[in-house]
Amino acid sequence: MRPPREEVEGGIFHVFARGNGRGLIFLDDSDRHRYLRLLGETVIRQRWYALAYCLMDNHVHLLLETPERNLGEGMQRLHGRYAQRFNRRHDHVGHLFQGRFGSVRVTTNAQMWAVTAYIAANPVSARQARRPDEWPWSSYRATLAGSGPHWLAAPRLLEHFGAFGGEPVLRYRRAVSERAAASASR
């Protein structure tokens, strides 16, 4: 029996999910657009704050703030709906995701900065982009530009980077750049 998932009101969680057997969960840009549309619908329905996201070919990273204890319910809905549509579209049978999603609660500013930089630098670590701002399936570029989908809570994320003074966008860019440089040198 699995232990119950930690859910708290006002919690911030790094959420991640991988394809079954490390298989692909996105075969093309239509899949990625569909996932982002469903993510946006779920964010609104669950009243979450989507602080950051990054879609890779075989896994996904999300940074979510949950004002209510509804992370499991929302993720089950998001991934269930996405998997059904993926399976129907690609004539795929069986589980798309490997087990249930993982989540780690973020409780400190240092942890917030580290996980945010990790999520944004993931395409560089995976050698799919030279720089984080080159990856189109991440919230990084939109957060820097102050754009993105209406459900992306970029200003809320940047508040964490401005907590100790300084320009939040510059602090965010520096944290991600440092993580990406460390990833590229490995």
Side-chain angles (χ1 to χ4, degrees):
M1 188 163 133
R2 295 185 290 210
R5 186 176 302 283
E6 178 183 25
E7 294 202 26
V8 297
E9 291 178 4
I12 297 175
F13 296 91
H14 173 204
V15 177
F16 42 91
R18 183 172 29 190
N20 196 21
R22 297 184 183 199
L24 299 177
I25 58 174
F26 304 110
L27 298 184
D28 57 26
D29 289 353
S30 292
D31 287 340
R32 291 176 184 88
H33 284 293
R34 174 170 283 121
Y35 185 91
L36 289 176
R37 192 183 81 251
L38 290 171
L39 174 60
E41 290 172 8
T42 304
V43 164
I44 292 165
R45 178 184 178 95
Q46 302 300 125
R47 293 185 286 284
W48 292 343
Y49 296 103
L51 304 175
Y53 66 83
C54 186
L55 311 184
M56 302 299 289
D57 292 339
N58 70 347
H59 67 284
V60 61
H61 291 279
L62 308 172
L63 187 61
L64 303 171
E65 184 177 344
T66 59
E68 301 170 28
R69 295 177 184 217
N70 61 1
L71 180 63
E73 171 192 316
M75 289 304 300
Q76 181 178 16
R77 178 179 175 80
L78 169 61
H79 283 177
R81 291 177 69 206
Y82 177 74
Q84 286 175 346
R85 291 175 184 183
F86 179 95
N87 287 351
R88 193 169 38 248
R89 180 171 184 251
H90 297 293
D91 199 28
H92 181 266
V93 177
H95 295 285
L96 178 62
F97 292 99
Q98 182 175 310
R100 67 181 185 165
F101 69 93
S103 65
V104 174
R105 187 167 168 220
V106 177
T107 58
T108 68
N109 276 332
Q111 192 181 9
M112 171 68 90
W113 296 350
V115 76
T116 303
Y118 173 81
I119 290 170
N122 208 254
V124 175
S125 299
R127 308 275 188 260
Q128 292 193 282
R130 286 188 343 261
R131 296 186 333 258
D133 62 342
E134 292 177 348
W135 190 248
W137 304 108
S138 162
S139 58
Y140 179 67
R141 224 177 8 201
T143 299
L144 291 179
S147 62
H150 67 280
W151 48 263
L152 180 64
R156 196 169 183 93
L157 172 70
L158 292 173
E159 286 174 13
H160 292 277
F161 284 86
F164 297 106
E167 174 56 42
V169 171
L170 295 178
R171 292 178 70 102
Y172 174 57
R173 184 190 317 254
R174 187 175 334 123
V176 173
S177 295
E178 289 170 2
R179 176 67 189 223
S183 296
S185 67
R186 285 186 227 157

